[in-house]
Short mmCIF file of all heavy atoms in Angstrom, two decimals:
data_model
loop_
_atom_site.label_atom_id
_atom_site.label_comp_id
_atom_site.label_asym_id
_atom_site.label_seq_id
_atom_site.Cartn_x
_atom_site.Cartn_y
_atom_site.Cartn_z
N MET I 1 78.99 81.96 132.23
CA MET I 1 79.42 80.85 131.39
C MET I 1 80.34 79.96 132.20
O MET I 1 81.27 80.43 132.85
CB MET I 1 80.16 81.45 130.20
CG MET I 1 80.69 80.45 129.26
SD MET I 1 81.32 81.28 127.80
CE MET I 1 81.99 79.89 126.97
N LEU I 9 94.26 81.66 132.33
CA LEU I 9 94.88 82.63 131.43
C LEU I 9 95.45 83.76 132.27
O LEU I 9 94.79 84.24 133.18
CB LEU I 9 93.85 83.18 130.44
CG LEU I 9 93.32 82.11 129.49
CD1 LEU I 9 92.13 82.64 128.73
CD2 LEU I 9 94.40 81.71 128.50
N LEU I 12 96.43 90.20 131.97
CA LEU I 12 97.41 91.13 131.44
C LEU I 12 96.71 92.35 130.89
O LEU I 12 95.55 92.27 130.53
CB LEU I 12 98.19 90.50 130.29
CG LEU I 12 99.13 89.36 130.65
CD1 LEU I 12 99.62 88.72 129.40
CD2 LEU I 12 100.28 89.87 131.45
N ILE I 14 96.09 94.67 127.78
CA ILE I 14 96.11 94.30 126.37
C ILE I 14 97.20 95.10 125.68
O ILE I 14 97.14 96.32 125.62
CB ILE I 14 94.74 94.61 125.73
CG1 ILE I 14 93.68 93.74 126.38
CG2 ILE I 14 94.79 94.33 124.25
CD1 ILE I 14 92.30 93.97 125.81
N VAL I 16 100.62 94.88 122.54
CA VAL I 16 101.39 94.10 121.58
C VAL I 16 102.67 93.65 122.25
O VAL I 16 103.29 94.41 122.97
CB VAL I 16 101.75 94.96 120.35
CG1 VAL I 16 102.54 94.17 119.34
CG2 VAL I 16 100.48 95.48 119.72
N GLU I 38 103.84 103.29 128.68
CA GLU I 38 105.13 102.70 129.06
C GLU I 38 106.27 103.06 128.14
O GLU I 38 107.40 102.86 128.49
CB GLU I 38 105.05 101.17 129.07
CG GLU I 38 104.07 100.60 130.02
CD GLU I 38 102.72 100.51 129.39
OE1 GLU I 38 102.62 100.59 128.14
OE2 GLU I 38 101.75 100.37 130.12
N GLY I 39 106.01 103.48 126.94
CA GLY I 39 107.14 103.81 126.09
C GLY I 39 107.80 102.58 125.49
O GLY I 39 109.01 102.46 125.49
N GLU I 42 107.69 100.75 119.90
CA GLU I 42 106.76 101.22 118.86
C GLU I 42 106.13 102.54 119.23
O GLU I 42 105.93 103.41 118.38
CB GLU I 42 105.66 100.18 118.63
CG GLU I 42 106.06 99.02 117.77
CD GLU I 42 105.97 97.73 118.55
OE1 GLU I 42 105.54 97.78 119.71
OE2 GLU I 42 106.34 96.68 118.01
N ASP I 46 106.39 106.00 117.20
CA ASP I 46 105.22 106.73 116.73
C ASP I 46 105.19 108.15 117.25
O ASP I 46 104.70 109.04 116.58
CB ASP I 46 103.94 106.00 117.17
CG ASP I 46 103.68 104.78 116.30
OD1 ASP I 46 104.32 104.67 115.25
OD2 ASP I 46 102.85 103.95 116.69
N GLY I 119 99.32 108.02 115.37
CA GLY I 119 98.75 106.69 115.51
C GLY I 119 98.32 106.34 116.92
O GLY I 119 98.46 105.21 117.34
N GLY I 120 97.82 107.31 117.67
CA GLY I 120 97.33 106.97 118.99
C GLY I 120 98.40 106.80 120.05
O GLY I 120 98.11 106.32 121.14
N ALA I 121 99.64 107.19 119.76
CA ALA I 121 100.69 106.98 120.75
C ALA I 121 100.54 107.92 121.92
O ALA I 121 101.09 107.69 122.99
CB ALA I 121 102.06 107.16 120.10
N ASP I 133 108.53 116.44 125.25
CA ASP I 133 108.79 115.00 125.23
C ASP I 133 108.99 114.42 126.62
O ASP I 133 109.74 113.46 126.79
CB ASP I 133 110.05 114.68 124.40
CG ASP I 133 109.79 114.89 122.94
OD1 ASP I 133 108.66 114.56 122.51
OD2 ASP I 133 110.68 115.39 122.25
N GLN I 136 111.60 117.03 132.38
CA GLN I 136 111.12 117.77 133.55
C GLN I 136 111.92 119.06 133.72
O GLN I 136 113.06 119.15 133.29
CB GLN I 136 111.26 116.91 134.80
CG GLN I 136 110.55 115.58 134.72
CD GLN I 136 109.08 115.76 134.43
OE1 GLN I 136 108.44 116.70 134.90
NE2 GLN I 136 108.55 114.86 133.64
N LYS I 142 108.44 125.29 134.09
CA LYS I 142 108.72 126.16 135.24
C LYS I 142 107.77 127.34 135.24
O LYS I 142 107.23 127.72 136.29
CB LYS I 142 110.17 126.65 135.19
CG LYS I 142 111.18 125.59 135.62
CD LYS I 142 112.59 126.15 135.57
CE LYS I 142 113.59 125.05 135.81
NZ LYS I 142 114.95 125.49 135.53
N THR I 156 95.69 136.00 147.77
CA THR I 156 95.62 136.11 149.24
C THR I 156 95.87 137.54 149.68
O THR I 156 95.28 138.02 150.63
CB THR I 156 96.66 135.20 149.93
OG1 THR I 156 97.95 135.49 149.40
CG2 THR I 156 96.30 133.76 149.77
N HIS I 157 96.77 138.20 148.93
CA HIS I 157 97.03 139.61 149.28
C HIS I 157 95.77 140.44 149.15
O HIS I 157 95.42 141.22 150.03
CB HIS I 157 98.13 140.13 148.36
CG HIS I 157 98.38 141.59 148.51
ND1 HIS I 157 99.28 142.08 149.42
CD2 HIS I 157 97.85 142.65 147.87
CE1 HIS I 157 99.32 143.40 149.32
NE2 HIS I 157 98.45 143.78 148.41
N TYR I 161 93.63 138.52 153.43
CA TYR I 161 94.06 137.39 154.26
C TYR I 161 92.93 136.77 155.06
O TYR I 161 93.09 136.39 156.18
CB TYR I 161 95.21 137.82 155.20
CG TYR I 161 96.27 138.56 154.45
CD1 TYR I 161 96.38 139.94 154.57
CD2 TYR I 161 97.11 137.90 153.56
CE1 TYR I 161 97.34 140.62 153.84
CE2 TYR I 161 98.05 138.58 152.84
CZ TYR I 161 98.17 139.95 152.98
OH TYR I 161 99.10 140.62 152.26
N PHE I 166 91.41 131.91 152.13
CA PHE I 166 92.78 131.40 152.03
C PHE I 166 92.80 129.87 151.94
O PHE I 166 93.51 129.28 151.12
CB PHE I 166 93.60 131.88 153.24
CG PHE I 166 94.95 131.27 153.32
CD1 PHE I 166 96.00 131.78 152.57
CD2 PHE I 166 95.20 130.17 154.13
CE1 PHE I 166 97.26 131.22 152.63
CE2 PHE I 166 96.46 129.60 154.20
CZ PHE I 166 97.50 130.12 153.45
N HIS I 185 104.89 112.05 137.00
CA HIS I 185 104.92 112.02 135.53
C HIS I 185 104.46 110.67 135.04
O HIS I 185 105.01 109.64 135.39
CB HIS I 185 106.36 112.28 135.08
CG HIS I 185 106.50 112.26 133.60
ND1 HIS I 185 105.89 113.19 132.77
CD2 HIS I 185 107.16 111.41 132.77
CE1 HIS I 185 106.20 112.93 131.52
NE2 HIS I 185 106.96 111.85 131.49
N LEU I 217 73.12 95.72 123.83
CA LEU I 217 74.11 95.19 122.88
C LEU I 217 74.23 93.69 123.02
O LEU I 217 74.52 92.98 122.09
CB LEU I 217 75.46 95.85 123.18
CG LEU I 217 76.45 95.90 122.03
CD1 LEU I 217 75.87 96.66 120.87
CD2 LEU I 217 77.71 96.59 122.50
N PHE I 225 72.31 90.69 111.71
CA PHE I 225 73.38 90.86 110.72
C PHE I 225 72.97 90.36 109.34
O PHE I 225 73.68 90.55 108.38
CB PHE I 225 74.63 90.11 111.17
CG PHE I 225 75.32 90.80 112.30
CD1 PHE I 225 75.00 90.50 113.60
CD2 PHE I 225 76.28 91.77 112.06
CE1 PHE I 225 75.63 91.14 114.64
CE2 PHE I 225 76.91 92.40 113.09
CZ PHE I 225 76.58 92.09 114.39
N TYR O 31 106.87 143.85 153.90
CA TYR O 31 105.61 143.32 153.38
C TYR O 31 105.21 142.06 154.13
O TYR O 31 104.05 141.87 154.52
CB TYR O 31 105.74 143.01 151.89
CG TYR O 31 104.53 142.32 151.34
CD1 TYR O 31 103.33 142.99 151.16
CD2 TYR O 31 104.57 140.96 151.05
CE1 TYR O 31 102.21 142.34 150.69
CE2 TYR O 31 103.45 140.31 150.58
CZ TYR O 31 102.27 141.00 150.40
OH TYR O 31 101.16 140.35 149.94
N SER O 35 101.92 141.53 156.30
CA SER O 35 100.91 140.54 155.90
C SER O 35 100.74 139.45 156.94
O SER O 35 99.87 138.61 156.81
CB SER O 35 101.31 139.91 154.57
OG SER O 35 102.39 139.01 154.77
N ARG O 42 99.41 130.67 158.37
CA ARG O 42 99.28 131.09 156.98
C ARG O 42 100.60 131.63 156.45
O ARG O 42 100.99 131.34 155.32
CB ARG O 42 98.20 132.18 156.89
CG ARG O 42 97.68 132.36 155.48
CD ARG O 42 97.07 133.70 155.31
NE ARG O 42 98.12 134.71 155.31
CZ ARG O 42 98.10 135.76 156.11
NH1 ARG O 42 97.11 135.97 156.95
NH2 ARG O 42 99.09 136.61 156.09
N GLU O 46 102.68 130.22 153.27
CA GLU O 46 103.04 131.03 152.10
C GLU O 46 104.54 131.05 151.88
O GLU O 46 105.02 130.97 150.75
CB GLU O 46 102.51 132.46 152.30
CG GLU O 46 101.01 132.54 152.17
CD GLU O 46 100.51 133.98 152.16
OE1 GLU O 46 101.34 134.88 152.30
OE2 GLU O 46 99.30 134.16 152.00
N LEU O 57 112.41 126.60 140.43
CA LEU O 57 113.06 127.42 139.41
C LEU O 57 114.53 127.07 139.27
O LEU O 57 115.10 127.16 138.18
CB LEU O 57 112.92 128.90 139.77
CG LEU O 57 111.64 129.58 139.32
CD1 LEU O 57 111.61 130.99 139.84
CD2 LEU O 57 111.54 129.58 137.82
N GLN O 59 115.96 124.15 139.68
CA GLN O 59 116.28 122.80 139.21
C GLN O 59 116.72 122.84 137.76
O GLN O 59 116.24 123.66 136.98
CB GLN O 59 115.06 121.89 139.32
CG GLN O 59 114.65 121.58 140.73
CD GLN O 59 115.53 120.53 141.34
OE1 GLN O 59 116.75 120.68 141.34
NE2 GLN O 59 114.93 119.50 141.86
N THR O 62 115.79 117.82 133.08
CA THR O 62 116.10 116.39 132.95
C THR O 62 115.96 115.96 131.50
O THR O 62 115.52 116.72 130.65
CB THR O 62 115.15 115.53 133.80
OG1 THR O 62 113.83 115.71 133.28
CG2 THR O 62 115.19 115.94 135.24
N ASP O 65 111.68 111.83 127.63
CA ASP O 65 111.31 110.40 127.59
C ASP O 65 111.91 109.72 126.39
O ASP O 65 112.32 108.58 126.44
CB ASP O 65 109.78 110.26 127.48
CG ASP O 65 109.14 110.48 128.82
OD1 ASP O 65 109.87 110.36 129.82
OD2 ASP O 65 107.95 110.78 128.85
N ARG O 66 111.92 110.43 125.30
CA ARG O 66 112.31 109.82 124.02
C ARG O 66 113.71 109.30 124.10
O ARG O 66 114.03 108.22 123.65
CB ARG O 66 112.19 110.87 122.93
CG ARG O 66 112.50 110.33 121.56
CD ARG O 66 112.71 111.43 120.58
NE ARG O 66 111.61 112.37 120.57
CZ ARG O 66 111.47 113.28 119.61
NH1 ARG O 66 112.32 113.32 118.62
NH2 ARG O 66 110.48 114.14 119.65
N LYS O 69 115.14 105.49 127.74
CA LYS O 69 115.58 104.10 127.84
C LYS O 69 116.34 103.63 126.62
O LYS O 69 117.14 102.73 126.68
CB LYS O 69 114.37 103.20 128.02
CG LYS O 69 113.81 103.22 129.40
CD LYS O 69 112.61 102.32 129.48
CE LYS O 69 111.35 103.13 129.41
NZ LYS O 69 110.17 102.31 129.24
N HIS O 70 115.99 104.20 125.45
CA HIS O 70 116.49 103.58 124.23
C HIS O 70 117.75 104.26 123.72
O HIS O 70 118.13 104.08 122.60
CB HIS O 70 115.40 103.62 123.16
CG HIS O 70 114.12 103.02 123.65
ND1 HIS O 70 113.92 101.68 123.68
CD2 HIS O 70 113.00 103.59 124.14
CE1 HIS O 70 112.71 101.45 124.17
NE2 HIS O 70 112.14 102.58 124.46
N ARG O 208 95.58 101.42 116.96
CA ARG O 208 96.00 101.20 118.34
C ARG O 208 94.78 101.16 119.24
O ARG O 208 93.91 102.00 119.15
CB ARG O 208 96.90 102.35 118.76
CG ARG O 208 97.63 102.11 120.06
CD ARG O 208 98.49 103.27 120.39
NE ARG O 208 99.89 102.93 120.31
CZ ARG O 208 100.74 103.39 119.44
NH1 ARG O 208 100.34 104.25 118.53
NH2 ARG O 208 101.99 103.01 119.44
N ARG O 230 99.63 98.37 115.23
CA ARG O 230 99.76 98.71 116.66
C ARG O 230 98.55 98.27 117.47
O ARG O 230 98.30 98.80 118.54
CB ARG O 230 99.95 100.23 116.88
CG ARG O 230 101.00 100.88 116.05
CD ARG O 230 102.33 100.56 116.57
NE ARG O 230 103.35 101.42 115.99
CZ ARG O 230 104.40 100.99 115.31
NH1 ARG O 230 104.56 99.71 115.12
NH2 ARG O 230 105.28 101.85 114.85
N SER O 231 97.77 97.32 116.95
CA SER O 231 96.64 96.85 117.75
C SER O 231 97.12 95.81 118.75
O SER O 231 98.21 95.27 118.64
CB SER O 231 95.60 96.21 116.84
OG SER O 231 95.25 97.07 115.81
N SER O 232 96.26 95.53 119.71
CA SER O 232 96.57 94.45 120.63
C SER O 232 96.22 93.15 119.96
O SER O 232 95.13 92.98 119.45
CB SER O 232 95.73 94.59 121.89
OG SER O 232 95.62 95.94 122.24
N ARG O 234 96.01 88.90 119.97
CA ARG O 234 95.96 87.64 120.70
C ARG O 234 96.01 86.54 119.66
O ARG O 234 95.39 86.63 118.61
CB ARG O 234 94.67 87.53 121.50
CG ARG O 234 94.56 88.53 122.61
CD ARG O 234 95.40 88.12 123.78
NE ARG O 234 95.38 89.10 124.84
CZ ARG O 234 96.22 90.12 124.95
NH1 ARG O 234 97.13 90.32 124.04
NH2 ARG O 234 96.14 90.94 125.97
N ASP O 249 86.68 84.38 124.19
CA ASP O 249 86.07 84.52 125.52
C ASP O 249 87.00 85.19 126.49
O ASP O 249 86.59 86.03 127.30
CB ASP O 249 85.68 83.14 126.05
CG ASP O 249 84.48 82.57 125.32
OD1 ASP O 249 83.71 83.38 124.78
OD2 ASP O 249 84.34 81.35 125.29
N SER O 250 88.28 84.81 126.43
CA SER O 250 89.22 85.40 127.39
C SER O 250 89.40 86.89 127.11
O SER O 250 89.53 87.69 128.04
CB SER O 250 90.56 84.68 127.32
OG SER O 250 91.34 85.19 126.27
N GLU O 254 88.64 89.79 129.84
CA GLU O 254 89.65 90.79 130.16
C GLU O 254 89.08 92.20 130.03
O GLU O 254 89.31 93.09 130.84
CB GLU O 254 90.80 90.63 129.16
CG GLU O 254 92.17 90.82 129.73
CD GLU O 254 93.23 90.53 128.67
OE1 GLU O 254 93.04 89.58 127.89
OE2 GLU O 254 94.19 91.27 128.63
N LEU O 262 84.24 99.44 124.56
CA LEU O 262 84.18 98.47 123.47
C LEU O 262 84.94 99.04 122.28
O LEU O 262 84.66 100.14 121.84
CB LEU O 262 82.70 98.26 123.12
CG LEU O 262 82.34 97.05 122.28
CD1 LEU O 262 82.66 95.80 123.04
CD2 LEU O 262 80.87 97.12 121.97
N TYR O 290 79.81 85.77 114.10
CA TYR O 290 78.54 86.43 114.37
C TYR O 290 78.16 86.32 115.84
O TYR O 290 77.63 87.24 116.44
CB TYR O 290 77.43 85.85 113.51
CG TYR O 290 77.40 86.43 112.12
CD1 TYR O 290 77.42 85.63 111.00
CD2 TYR O 290 77.36 87.81 111.93
CE1 TYR O 290 77.41 86.17 109.74
CE2 TYR O 290 77.34 88.35 110.68
CZ TYR O 290 77.37 87.52 109.58
OH TYR O 290 77.36 88.05 108.33
#
Side-chain angles (χ1 to χ4, degrees):
Chain I
M1 179 172 175
L9 295 169
L12 292 171
I14 296 180
V16 180
E38 299 87 17
E42 280 118 3
D46 283 346
D133 289 323
Q136 303 303 324
K142 284 181 188 170
T156 54
H157 174 89
Y161 312 105
F166 173 82
H185 179 66
L217 204 59
F225 287 90
Chain O
Y31 174 72
S35 74
R42 199 202 71 233
E46 288 189 357
L57 275 176
Q59 291 282 54
T62 63
D65 281 341
R66 183 194 307 193
K69 283 179 259 169
H70 306 281
R208 191 180 248 113
R230 311 284 194 238
S231 307
S232 321
R234 294 283 177 271
D249 288 335
S250 83
E254 218 176 321
L262 196 63
Y290 278 126

